[in-house]
Amino acid sequence: MSRPASDRVNILGIETSCDETSAAVVRDGTEILSNVVSSQVDLHRPFGGVVPELASRHHLELIDSIVTEALTAAGMGWSEIHAVAATYGPGLASSLLIGLNAGKGIATSLGVPFYAINHMEAHLYSPLIARAELPMVSLIVSGGHTMLVHATAIGRHEILGQTVDDAAGEAFDKVAKLLKLGYPGGPEIDRLAKQGNPAAIAFPRSMLDDPSYNFSFSGLKTSVRYWLDRNGSAPVADVCASFQEAVVDVLVGKTMRAAEQFGVRTVSAAGGVSINSRLRARLREECDRRQIRLLLADAKLCTDNAAMIGALAFHKRSAPDMAVEIAPSIGLV
Ligand code: KG4
Ligand code: ZN
């Protein structure tokens, strides 16, 4: 028998940490009633990266209409919102401020609780929205972060390692720039790599044999630059495939080593780079071989979105003592 509507908790989530303005209504932490995401990628494309000043101005212009759209799409009035959650960090300070203040303002005016949510923690639990299965080892790979996390329960997790320099997505974007491909570079490299030979060029597998779970991608980017200087007219598809293979080897190698060390039966991946088709295929292969369950979020939940913010807030609401940060706060709360 389904529970009466009055028992259900509807949370309005808001996300503005980088260049996506997003609002969502999530019911009971699992049911996404709406997830409106407005990407500014076209706005920043001419600059080859996110311009913080432009991003925050755009968030400010859009936030009201995106929140209204999320409520309308969920078929909901303000009185049916039981809590509000917004990302407090990490991210661009001037962008975070817009969503955070909008969220706090809405919560205050409705007289409902407000939850400040860590963006990386939301990425970490995003694959669980529909299918909770813990403990797990999770690879979080985005434009700003690369980390391996061991989570035993929602809110109980340990960072096993992270990048010591560039994030994986940053490496994709920088190499795409060297190859004069579009921005963001990850999807372009993914697409071109399908026509290339991943064994054509032996780029370094940085830190793969290092016993830690840390990553480093800046040396790989430099290797690609030197290689291009020496081999100007190389087939771009081969460079893309070989670079991508070097990144994927390290990401998959370390993820599977962590899964074995901690004896987990579930592995997950989240963040924009987890959409990468080669990374998904290799994770699938390695997990299948070990009979480990692989949880991959839908593409819309991999990149920045407010549904993951609203979903995590529900779990925090149920167990507030579980509020553990997995990345440093920038002190906005
Ligand atoms: O999670 P996300 O939307 O934003 C951050 O929180 O950083 O991740 C964006 C990153 C970009 O660097 C983009 O190039 C990368 O994810 N990305 C990909 C793919 N799709 C997006 N990287 C590799 N392959 C892809 N298919
Ligand atoms: Zn993100």
Side-chain angles (χ1 to χ4, degrees):
M1 200 172 71
S2 65
R3 287 156 58 212
S6 56
D7 279 4
R8 301 218 163 150
V9 178
N10 302 320
I11 300 188
L12 171 68
I14 296 175
E15 155 65 38
T16 61
S17 66
C18 190
D19 59 342
E20 265 93 24
T21 319
S22 179
V25 178
V26 182
R27 178 172 283 169
D28 293 343
T30 54
E31 211 182 319
I32 300 173
L33 301 182
S34 64
N35 186 21
V36 182
V37 181
S38 170
S39 170
Q40 304 179 3
V41 73
D42 293 338
L43 192 71
H44 300 283
R45 185 169 286 120
F47 306 96
V50 177
V51 183
E53 170 69 19
L54 272 182
S56 62
R57 275 199 229 172
H58 206 66
H59 285 311
L60 189 58
E61 276 167 26
L62 283 186
I63 191 72
D64 283 352
S65 54
I66 296 285
V67 167
T68 308
E69 202 179 322
L71 279 173
T72 310
M76 220 156 251
W78 288 112
S79 62
E80 291 165 277
I81 297 294
H82 303 115
V84 181
T87 311
Y88 71 82
L92 299 171
S94 51
S95 288
L96 287 161
L97 272 172
I98 310 295
L100 192 59
N101 284 327
K104 281 183 181 173
I106 294 168
T108 307
S109 66
L110 295 178
V112 299
F114 174 78
Y115 297 92
I117 296 292
N118 182 292
H119 181 82
M120 299 311 293
E121 205 178 341
H123 270 306
L124 168 64
Y125 294 110
S126 59
L128 301 182
I129 289 178
R131 307 155 288 178
E133 188 96 8
L134 289 164
M136 67 176 181
V137 159
S138 178
L139 173 71
I140 312 174
V141 269
S142 68
H145 300 270
T146 300
M147 48 173 84
L148 253 183
V149 184
H150 177 218
T152 47
I154 288 185
R156 300 212 186 278
H157 42 249
E158 178 198 1
I159 301 177
L160 304 175
Q162 46 192 324
T163 180
V164 296
D165 42 53
D166 292 353
E170 203 177 340
F172 270 94
D173 294 338
K174 286 179 175 170
V175 166
K177 213 168 181 173
L178 290 175
L179 293 169
K180 302 190 172 53
L181 304 175
Y183 168 82
E188 276 293 289
I189 291 185
D190 191 351
R191 189 177 60 78
L192 286 165
K194 291 194 171 91
Q195 297 136 38
N197 174 9
I201 310 156
F203 288 128
R205 270 60 174 161
S206 312
M207 293 183 85
L208 180 57
D209 297 322
D210 185 90
S212 79
Y213 287 114
N214 287 336
F215 301 92
S216 165
F217 294 108
S218 112
L220 171 58
K221 171 202 68 197
T222 309
S223 296
V224 175
R225 171 141 43 86
Y226 286 155
W227 195 92
L228 287 171
D229 286 348
R230 289 194 306 270
N231 305 274
S233 58
V236 174
D238 283 351
V239 180
C240 288
S242 301
F243 157 77
Q244 179 176 274
E245 201 67 10
V247 176
V248 169
D249 269 354
V250 178
L251 294 177
V252 173
K254 294 217 171 199
T255 304
M256 298 322 295
R257 178 149 62 81
E260 275 167 13
Q261 184 190 331
F262 291 94
V264 294
R265 303 312 308 155
T266 302
V267 161
S268 78
V273 180
S274 75
I275 300 170
N276 183 270
S277 60
R278 184 71 183 144
L279 176 63
R280 288 192 163 214
R282 290 279 308 281
L283 280 174
R284 168 76 53 217
E285 220 174 275
E286 297 296 327
C287 286
D288 283 355
R289 187 180 312 159
R290 294 169 178 81
Q291 294 181 317
I292 287 176
R293 183 162 185 250
L294 177 65
L295 278 185
L296 294 170
D298 291 344
K300 244 200 130 181
L301 289 177
C302 286
T303 48
D304 289 349
N305 68 89
M308 66 180 186
I309 306 297
L312 182 57
F314 174 80
H315 298 292
K316 299 261 170 197
R317 188 176 185 276
S318 321
D321 67 307
M322 286 188 172
V324 181
E325 287 180 23
I326 65 164
S329 140
I330 58 160
L332 278 174
V333 235

